[in-house]
Amino acid sequence: MSPRPIRIAYVIDELYAPAGGTEGQLLHLLNRMDRERFEPRVFCLREAEPPMPENVVLDLHLSASPATLARIWRFSRILRDGGFDIVQTHFRDSNIVGVLAAWLARTPVIISTRRGVPYWEQSSGLRFLRWLNGKVTWFIANSEATR
């Protein structure tokens, strides 16, 4: 009996097709993954255009409100109940939501991608990012400057 596929949750702000850049790279990756080895799931913070049936739309717009915190908590339960082995995040908002939710869900591996400099522009954001970085297992940067 073979082991179950590795469950990967990809968290991205939004996803649409056709797409270029990060979104396009993620779509190409998903289309070529070996489904016997990997079980990917995409979670979008906002609605995709056109709607993609395999994606889960969290309908989450970041703000400093109790509703946002409650949605992040609910997302962490989805990750925990789904038994995800890896959570990989893309873009700033998804890094915040995905890393926090994965950390709360005790996901074994959390991968945060960083694209562009400066990633955060305010010093308060940098303090939060340093704290958030401590929850991440691995980072992927698209350039040496971003790293």
Side-chain angles (χ1 to χ4, degrees):
M1 182 175 185
S2 64
R4 72 167 174 80
I6 296 170
R7 292 183 179 138
I8 305 172
Y10 293 98
V11 185
I12 193 163
D13 291 11
E14 55 194 7
L15 192 60
Y16 47 87
T22 301
E23 298 88 347
Q25 291 168 8
L26 180 57
L27 290 172
H28 286 297
L29 175 67
L30 292 168
N31 287 332
R32 289 168 177 74
M33 290 182 94
D34 180 351
R35 292 303 199 269
E36 290 183 21
R37 294 182 58 208
F38 302 101
E39 186 180 318
R41 190 94 179 259
V42 177
F43 294 89
C44 299
L45 298 190
R46 294 177 282 283
E47 187 65 53
E49 288 295 332
M52 298 177 173
E54 294 181 8
N55 300 334
V56 175
V57 177
L58 299 173
D59 189 27
L60 193 115
H61 299 271
L62 279 186
S63 67
S65 74
T68 298
L69 295 175
R71 286 185 177 125
I72 291 171
W73 177 253
R74 280 196 298 277
F75 181 38
S76 76
R77 294 187 58 119
I78 291 169
L79 294 174
R80 188 191 68 215
D81 294 347
F84 287 94
D85 304 294
I86 300 170
V87 170
Q88 182 174 347
T89 63
H90 302 273
F91 300 129
R92 188 188 77 107
D93 290 355
S94 293
N95 276 315
I96 293 169
V97 171
V99 170
L100 283 174
W103 176 66
L104 289 168
R106 293 181 168 79
T107 304
V109 176
I110 303 171
I111 301 170
S112 176
T113 60
R114 304 294 167 88
R115 299 169 188 276
V117 178
Y119 192 77
W120 298 73
E121 296 180 2
Q122 300 174 351
S123 61
S124 61
L126 289 174
R127 285 192 299 274
F128 179 69
L129 180 61
R130 284 188 194 104
W131 179 83
L132 202 60
N133 285 347
K135 313 304 178 226
V136 174
T137 311
W138 295 97
F139 295 93
I140 298 174
N142 68 343
S143 69
E144 185 63 28
T146 299
R147 184 182 75 79

